[in-house]
Amino acid sequence: MAEILTSAQMRAIEQAAMAAGTVSGLALMERAGTGVVAAILETWPALATPAEPPCAVVLCGPGNNGGDGFVVARLLADRGWRVATYLLGRPERLPPDARATAEAWSAQPGARALPSEALAAEDWTGCRAGVVIDALYGIGFRPPLPAAAAQMLAIAGQIVAAHPEGWRRVAIDIPSGLAADTPPPVIPACDLVVTFHREKPVHPPLRAAGLAVVTADIGL
Ligand SMILES: NC(=O)C1=CN([C@@H]2O[C@H](COP(=O)(O)OP(=O)(O)OC[C@H]3O[C@@H](n4cnc5c(N)ncnc54)[C@H](O)[C@@H]3O)[C@@H](O)[C@H]2O)[C@H](O)CC1
Ligand SMILES: [K+]
């Protein structure tokens, strides 16, 4: 049974690896995004060789969880997916690693890097197969969930509800609105949770409730 790490223990391991110079925060973020895409394609292999380009709606929050989301957006667009990111907050206020991945995504030809207010379910009804990526909050989250974030998740739910057979929901690290170190008070609608290095206390109860939880190796 792999050990469970608290968010503080996870941060300490990340900080120690970065302080030792064995890896940068940005490299960890790239590995995280790569692990999320690999988990998506392993979970739904049909998305790896789609008849038509799948869609991805990436909800990016104000921190490094959002930064992971921008890596996922870039990697899926590289695979020919129709991708849009929606940022909750201001780009200039992102932490350095997330700002770097946001800029790398925005620099992609045709990248749709939008503010959260632009998110509209009707923009996505024409896409039969897709993934909503929850990159709003990860281990840095402290309840309660801001209303603007809850609204984004509600709109994402409308997109999935319009095509229940074709759209999936993926949470990066933790379904947003849940704290990392305590059992979840509710089980969110989510088809896949991809966490990093080791599970946190929130993850075993999510799996026990039937959610798919994958732990991606980010080389720590
Ligand atoms: N290089 C790295 O550190 C890596 C991190 N990974 C990913 O980063 C997140 C953790 O990122 P962090 O910036 O610490 O926090 P979050 O993105 O989870 O949260 C963003 C930000 O939101 C603020 N906040 C927290 N709670 C609330 C609230 N209730 N209302 C409003 N705002 C809130 C708080 O200031 C946070 O800073 C981790 O989960 C990974 O996804 C990489 O995976 C590996 C490298
Ligand atoms: K998340």
Side-chain angles (χ1 to χ4, degrees), residues 149-218:
Q151 172 66 358
M152 293 174 80
L153 291 169
I155 294 171
Q158 293 167 15
I159 296 172
V160 174
H163 298 289
E165 296 311 309
W167 278 75
R168 300 286 179 262
R169 294 177 222 222
V170 177
I172 296 184
D173 212 353
I174 300 166
S176 295
L178 300 182
D181 299 332
T182 51
V186 294
I187 302 300
C190 186
D191 298 298
L192 175 64
V193 180
V194 187
T195 189
F196 309 114
H197 182 59
R198 295 291 185 273
E199 292 188 356
K200 308 344 173 267
V202 70
H203 292 113
L206 292 177
R207 192 179 333 93
L211 269 62
V213 179
V214 168
T215 301
D217 178 3
I218 55 173

XYZ file of all heavy atoms in Angstrom, residues 149-218:
510
model
N -15.729 30.216 -8.993
C -15.220 28.883 -9.327
C -16.369 27.887 -9.390
O -16.432 27.045 -10.296
C -14.182 28.441 -8.292
N -17.293 28.007 -8.449
C -18.456 27.110 -8.449
C -19.264 27.294 -9.728
O -19.760 26.333 -10.318
C -19.321 27.383 -7.223
N -19.359 28.525 -10.193
C -20.103 28.818 -11.422
C -19.425 28.175 -12.629
O -20.073 27.585 -13.493
C -20.193 30.348 -11.599
C -20.774 30.833 -12.923
C -22.252 30.481 -13.099
O -22.838 29.820 -12.229
N -22.826 30.872 -14.201
N -18.098 28.235 -12.667
C -17.381 27.596 -13.776
C -17.639 26.082 -13.775
O -17.875 25.471 -14.821
C -15.879 27.872 -13.668
C -15.503 29.326 -13.881
S -13.753 29.606 -13.560
C -13.045 29.013 -15.114
N -17.606 25.486 -12.591
C -17.838 24.038 -12.503
C -19.273 23.702 -12.892
O -19.535 22.670 -13.525
C -17.520 23.548 -11.089
C -16.033 23.578 -10.699
C -15.868 23.327 -9.197
C -15.233 22.559 -11.512
N -20.217 24.597 -12.570
C -21.615 24.357 -12.945
C -21.782 24.405 -14.467
O -22.454 23.556 -15.067
C -22.510 25.404 -12.277
N -21.131 25.354 -15.116
C -21.202 25.445 -16.582
C -20.548 24.219 -17.212
O -21.052 23.626 -18.170
C -20.542 26.748 -17.081
C -21.338 27.949 -16.598
C -20.405 26.751 -18.607
C -20.662 29.285 -16.850
N -19.433 23.788 -16.629
C -18.782 22.570 -17.119
C -19.733 21.383 -17.007
O -19.812 20.530 -17.906
C -17.505 22.303 -16.334
N -20.509 21.350 -15.919
C -21.485 20.274 -15.762
C -22.545 20.303 -16.843
O -22.991 19.260 -17.336
N -22.915 21.516 -17.284
C -23.907 21.642 -18.360
C -23.347 21.087 -19.672
O -24.048 20.438 -20.451
C -24.292 23.112 -18.557
C -25.057 23.730 -17.393
C -25.124 25.249 -17.509
O -24.850 25.831 -18.572
N -25.445 25.909 -16.397
N -22.051 21.339 -19.910
C -21.423 20.832 -21.144
C -21.461 19.304 -21.141
O -21.845 18.663 -22.126
C -19.968 21.337 -21.246
C -19.939 22.860 -21.367
C -19.261 20.685 -22.437
C -18.545 23.460 -21.272
N -21.094 18.715 -20.017
C -21.073 17.247 -19.922
C -22.492 16.697 -20.047
O -22.751 15.713 -20.741
C -20.415 16.813 -18.602
C -20.524 15.298 -18.415
C -18.955 17.254 -18.561
N -23.450 17.388 -19.413
C -24.846 16.903 -19.438
C -25.414 16.900 -20.865
O -26.276 16.080 -21.184
C -25.700 17.777 -18.538
N -24.897 17.791 -21.713
C -25.409 17.856 -23.099
C -24.966 16.647 -23.911
O -25.586 16.278 -24.907
C -24.919 19.140 -23.760
N -23.857 16.025 -23.514
C -23.338 14.837 -24.221
C -22.837 13.833 -23.189
O -21.632 13.590 -23.061
C -22.181 15.206 -25.155
C -22.554 16.165 -26.235
N -23.351 15.823 -27.299
C -22.245 17.479 -26.401
C -23.503 16.878 -28.086
N -22.855 17.888 -27.558
N -23.730 13.226 -22.428
C -23.294 12.379 -21.307
C -22.439 11.192 -21.745
O -21.605 10.714 -20.975
C -24.604 11.917 -20.684
C -25.655 12.142 -21.728
C -25.189 13.296 -22.552
N -22.608 10.750 -22.989
C -21.809 9.592 -23.433
C -20.440 10.004 -23.941
O -19.543 9.182 -24.079
C -22.563 8.850 -24.551
C -23.888 8.243 -24.107
C -23.725 7.435 -22.824
O -22.812 6.567 -22.793
O -24.465 7.699 -21.861
N -20.300 11.302 -24.267
C -19.066 11.662 -24.962
C -18.117 12.549 -24.193
O -16.949 12.645 -24.539
N -18.621 13.199 -23.147
C -17.767 14.123 -22.397
C -17.412 13.545 -21.037
O -18.236 12.903 -20.380
C -18.461 15.477 -22.222
C -18.334 16.383 -23.405
C -19.008 16.255 -24.592
C -17.484 17.522 -23.530
N -18.629 17.258 -25.441
C -17.700 18.061 -24.828
C -16.567 18.150 -22.688
C -17.034 19.190 -25.288
C -15.908 19.288 -23.141
C -16.131 19.792 -24.432
N -16.199 13.725 -20.629
C -15.717 13.235 -19.346
C -15.165 14.390 -18.512
O -14.729 15.401 -19.080
C -14.601 12.205 -19.584
C -15.048 10.997 -20.389
C -15.921 10.080 -19.552
N -16.391 8.915 -20.319
C -17.590 8.851 -20.893
N -18.426 9.910 -20.813
N -17.971 7.763 -21.543
N -15.172 14.227 -17.207
C -14.617 15.245 -16.309
C -13.344 14.717 -15.660
O -13.347 13.606 -15.105
C -15.584 15.561 -15.173
C -16.860 16.215 -15.608
C -17.733 16.399 -14.395
N -19.094 16.064 -14.710
C -20.129 16.771 -14.308
N -19.935 17.829 -13.543
N -21.346 16.430 -14.634
N -12.285 15.511 -15.728
C -11.005 15.134 -15.137
C -10.580 16.213 -14.158
O -10.655 17.411 -14.485
C -9.934 14.981 -16.246
C -8.564 14.669 -15.643
C -10.342 13.888 -17.229
N -10.155 15.822 -12.967
C -9.668 16.783 -11.973
C -8.159 16.630 -11.838
O -7.668 15.494 -11.666
C -10.337 16.565 -10.624
N -7.451 17.747 -11.920
C -6.004 17.716 -11.721
C -5.710 17.806 -10.227
O -6.117 18.748 -9.551
C -5.306 18.868 -12.474
C -5.500 18.713 -13.987
C -3.824 18.871 -12.124
C -4.774 19.755 -14.820
N -5.069 16.773 -9.729
C -4.636 16.624 -8.338
C -5.807 16.352 -7.397
O -5.856 15.301 -6.738
C -3.829 17.843 -7.857
C -2.766 17.429 -6.836
O -2.753 16.243 -6.420
O -1.962 18.278 -6.439
N -6.774 17.259 -7.354
C -7.906 17.141 -6.429
C -9.130 17.783 -7.083
O -8.991 18.849 -7.685
C -7.616 17.880 -5.108
C -6.376 17.288 -4.422
C -8.804 17.800 -4.143
C -5.829 18.166 -3.311
N -10.323 17.175 -6.984
C -11.504 17.892 -7.467
C -11.643 19.218 -6.723
O -11.617 19.232 -5.471
C -12.658 16.931 -7.160
C -12.016 15.576 -7.094
C -10.660 15.822 -6.486
N -11.727 20.319 -7.446
C -11.744 21.636 -6.796
C -12.942 21.768 -5.873
O -14.058 21.354 -6.217
C -11.758 22.733 -7.859
O -10.536 22.675 -8.586
N -12.650 22.350 -4.713
C -13.672 22.495 -3.674
C -13.411 21.551 -2.528
O -13.970 21.721 -1.437
N -12.527 20.568 -2.735
C -12.167 19.625 -1.665
C -10.799 19.995 -1.101
O -9.891 20.398 -1.840
C -12.132 18.184 -2.206
C -13.433 17.638 -2.801
C -13.228 16.194 -3.231
C -14.585 17.778 -1.825
N -10.659 19.821 0.213
C -9.369 20.040 0.864
C -8.533 18.764 0.747
O -9.074 17.649 0.767
C -9.585 20.412 2.328
N -7.241 18.917 0.618
C -6.353 17.771 0.354
C -6.248 16.817 1.545
O -6.092 15.607 1.354
C -4.957 18.290 -0.006
N -6.321 17.371 2.765
C -5.899 16.604 3.935
C -7.033 16.085 4.795
O -6.786 15.542 5.882
C -4.954 17.469 4.791
C -3.714 17.863 4.004
O -3.319 17.100 3.090
O -3.156 18.947 4.263
N -8.259 16.232 4.308
C -9.396 15.729 5.098
C -10.337 14.932 4.185
O -10.370 15.150 2.970
C -10.186 16.915 5.701
O -10.492 17.847 4.667
C -9.369 17.601 6.777
N -11.088 14.005 4.772
C -12.030 13.243 3.948
C -13.037 14.189 3.285
O -13.430 15.187 3.877
C -12.724 12.327 4.961
C -11.774 12.237 6.105
C -11.086 13.575 6.173
N -13.441 13.899 2.056
C -14.362 14.808 1.350
C -15.751 14.792 1.983
O -16.304 13.720 2.212
C -14.392 14.251 -0.070
C -14.033 12.805 0.089
C -13.091 12.735 1.260
N -16.336 15.965 2.252
C -17.695 15.993 2.811
C -18.738 15.528 1.796
O -19.795 15.026 2.164
C -17.892 17.471 3.173
C -16.937 18.226 2.329
C -15.765 17.313 2.087
N -18.431 15.724 0.522
C -19.310 15.251 -0.554
C -18.419 14.617 -1.629
O -17.219 14.914 -1.714
C -20.126 16.412 -1.174
C -21.095 16.996 -0.177
C -19.203 17.484 -1.737
N -19.025 13.768 -2.449
C -18.283 13.166 -3.567
C -18.691 13.900 -4.837
O -19.852 13.856 -5.241
C -18.599 11.656 -3.710
C -18.260 10.929 -2.400
C -17.820 11.076 -4.900
C -16.813 11.018 -1.968
N -17.770 14.619 -5.490
C -18.133 15.406 -6.667
C -18.322 14.537 -7.894
O -17.823 13.399 -7.943
C -16.942 16.346 -6.847
C -15.781 15.560 -6.302
C -16.335 14.735 -5.167
N -19.018 15.060 -8.880
C -19.131 14.391 -10.181
C -17.785 14.535 -10.871
O -17.347 15.647 -11.190
C -20.224 15.039 -11.012
N -17.108 13.424 -11.064
C -15.772 13.450 -11.684
C -15.473 12.038 -12.181
O -15.742 11.062 -11.480
C -14.734 13.894 -10.648
S -13.080 14.126 -11.314
N -14.923 11.944 -13.394
C -14.662 10.619 -13.964
C -13.237 10.149 -13.738
O -12.950 8.947 -13.819
C -14.946 10.662 -15.479
C -16.409 10.997 -15.759
O -17.270 10.216 -15.344
O -16.679 12.071 -16.340
N -12.324 11.083 -13.494
C -10.922 10.711 -13.305
C -10.241 11.807 -12.482
O -10.373 12.992 -12.789
C -10.218 10.582 -14.667
C -8.715 10.318 -14.660
C -8.390 8.958 -14.021
C -8.159 10.364 -16.094
N -9.522 11.383 -11.457
C -8.687 12.292 -10.667
C -7.239 11.858 -10.887
O -6.925 10.666 -10.742
C -9.021 12.216 -9.163
C -8.139 13.183 -8.363
C -10.501 12.522 -8.921
N -6.397 12.798 -11.284
C -4.979 12.481 -11.481
C -4.173 13.278 -10.457
O -4.088 14.506 -10.543
C -4.486 12.814 -12.903
C -3.040 12.300 -13.100
C -5.408 12.186 -13.953
N -3.605 12.549 -9.475
C -2.762 13.218 -8.486
C -1.306 12.885 -8.778
O -1.000 12.156 -9.743
C -3.176 12.839 -7.046
O -2.479 13.672 -6.112
C -2.884 11.377 -6.732
N -0.396 13.402 -7.978
C 1.032 13.329 -8.307
C 1.847 12.760 -7.156
O 1.650 13.137 -6.001
C 1.533 14.735 -8.676
C 0.661 15.379 -9.709
C -0.096 16.497 -9.416
C 0.542 14.828 -10.980
C -0.926 17.070 -10.364
C -0.281 15.394 -11.929
C -1.013 16.526 -11.629
N 2.747 11.859 -7.499
C 3.734 11.282 -6.580
C 3.128 10.318 -5.549
O 3.472 9.128 -5.527
C 4.533 12.400 -5.875
C 5.594 11.891 -4.969
N 6.625 11.089 -5.423
C 5.787 12.036 -3.630
C 7.408 10.767 -4.415
N 6.928 11.317 -3.303
N 2.264 10.794 -4.729
C 1.544 9.950 -3.754
C 0.140 10.535 -3.544
O -0.083 11.723 -3.728
C 2.255 9.958 -2.379
C 3.636 9.330 -2.355
C 3.590 7.819 -2.551
N 4.942 7.243 -2.403
C 5.808 7.141 -3.406
N 5.466 7.592 -4.621
N 7.004 6.623 -3.206
N -0.793 9.674 -3.137
C -2.134 10.147 -2.798
C -2.081 10.996 -1.536
O -1.165 10.899 -0.724
C -3.083 8.972 -2.605
C -3.383 8.220 -3.885
C -4.476 7.177 -3.710
O -4.956 6.977 -2.576
O -4.841 6.558 -4.720
N -3.062 11.860 -1.400
C -3.265 12.672 -0.187
C -4.476 12.096 0.541
O -5.203 11.269 -0.022
C -3.505 14.141 -0.561
C -2.497 14.875 -1.501
C -1.191 14.249 -1.698
C -0.285 14.871 -2.714
N -0.384 14.298 -4.073
N -4.729 12.516 1.773
C -5.843 11.926 2.537
C -7.196 11.981 1.837
O -8.049 11.100 2.065
C -5.838 12.746 3.836
C -4.400 13.125 4.013
C -3.888 13.392 2.626
N -7.405 12.973 0.974
C -8.708 13.085 0.303
C -8.928 11.950 -0.711
O -10.079 11.630 -1.047
C -8.814 14.454 -0.418
C -7.878 14.517 -1.628
C -10.265 14.760 -0.807
N -7.883 11.329 -1.208
C -8.032 10.421 -2.352
C -8.631 9.048 -2.034
O -9.559 8.602 -2.745
C -6.703 10.278 -3.093
C -6.270 11.522 -3.783
N -5.160 12.249 -3.395
C -6.824 12.220 -4.808
C -5.030 13.311 -4.154
N -6.017 13.330 -5.024
N -8.205 8.331 -0.998
C -8.823 7.007 -0.753
C -10.346 7.037 -0.615
O -11.024 6.200 -1.225
C -8.117 6.534 0.516
C -6.785 7.225 0.479
C -7.073 8.598 -0.101
N -10.924 8.013 0.083
C -12.397 8.036 0.134
C -13.022 8.302 -1.249
O -14.103 7.790 -1.544
C -12.713 9.196 1.085
C -11.495 9.352 1.921
C -10.351 9.002 1.019
N -12.355 9.066 -2.091
C -12.883 9.301 -3.439
C -12.895 7.992 -4.220
O -13.871 7.651 -4.892
C -12.043 10.346 -4.177
C -12.098 11.778 -3.651
C -11.139 12.671 -4.447
C -13.510 12.344 -3.722
N -11.815 7.213 -4.091
C -11.772 5.929 -4.795
C -12.807 4.964 -4.215
O -13.499 4.240 -4.914
C -10.381 5.306 -4.731
C -10.262 4.135 -5.691
C -8.932 3.418 -5.765
N -7.800 4.247 -5.410
C -7.293 4.312 -4.180
N -7.870 3.632 -3.212
N -6.242 5.045 -3.918
N -12.940 5.001 -2.903
C -13.931 4.120 -2.261
C -15.342 4.447 -2.740
O -16.216 3.577 -2.785
C -13.837 4.267 -0.744
N -15.546 5.705 -3.146
C -16.868 6.128 -3.635
C -17.026 5.849 -5.129
O -18.043 6.198 -5.730
C -17.057 7.616 -3.363
N -15.993 5.234 -5.739
C -16.138 4.833 -7.142
C -15.438 5.713 -8.147
O -15.487 5.430 -9.352
N -14.768 6.772 -7.709
C -14.043 7.616 -8.659
C -12.736 6.929 -9.045
O -12.113 6.255 -8.213
C -13.728 8.992 -8.042
C -14.751 10.108 -8.246
C -16.078 9.762 -7.604
C -14.214 11.423 -7.683
N -12.306 7.089 -10.290
C -11.004 6.581 -10.720
C -9.941 7.573 -10.255
O -10.016 8.768 -10.569
C -10.975 6.441 -12.243
N -8.989 7.099 -9.478
C -7.896 7.949 -8.975
C -6.585 7.366 -9.471
O -6.289 6.194 -9.212
C -7.896 8.022 -7.436
C -6.730 8.901 -6.947
C -9.223 8.571 -6.913
N -5.838 8.163 -10.228
C -4.555 7.726 -10.777
C -3.458 8.596 -10.167
O -3.633 9.806 -10.020
C -4.550 7.877 -12.326
C -3.132 7.699 -12.885
C -5.519 6.882 -12.949
N -2.358 7.979 -9.792
C -1.210 8.728 -9.262
C -0.115 8.760 -10.316
O 0.409 7.708 -10.692
C -0.681 8.088 -7.963
O -1.734 8.064 -6.998
C 0.490 8.888 -7.399
N 0.181 9.939 -10.808
C 1.208 10.092 -11.850
C 2.569 10.304 -11.189
O 2.707 11.060 -10.213
C 0.880 11.271 -12.757
N 3.579 9.644 -11.733
C 4.949 9.829 -11.245
C 5.510 11.118 -11.845
O 5.436 11.321 -13.058
C 5.789 8.627 -11.700
C 7.253 8.752 -11.273
O 7.593 9.742 -10.578
O 8.050 7.881 -11.653
N 5.996 12.030 -10.994
C 6.610 13.263 -11.543
C 8.097 13.301 -11.186
O 8.721 14.363 -11.126
C 5.867 14.533 -11.077
C 5.746 14.645 -9.547
C 4.494 14.616 -11.721
C 5.160 15.993 -9.087
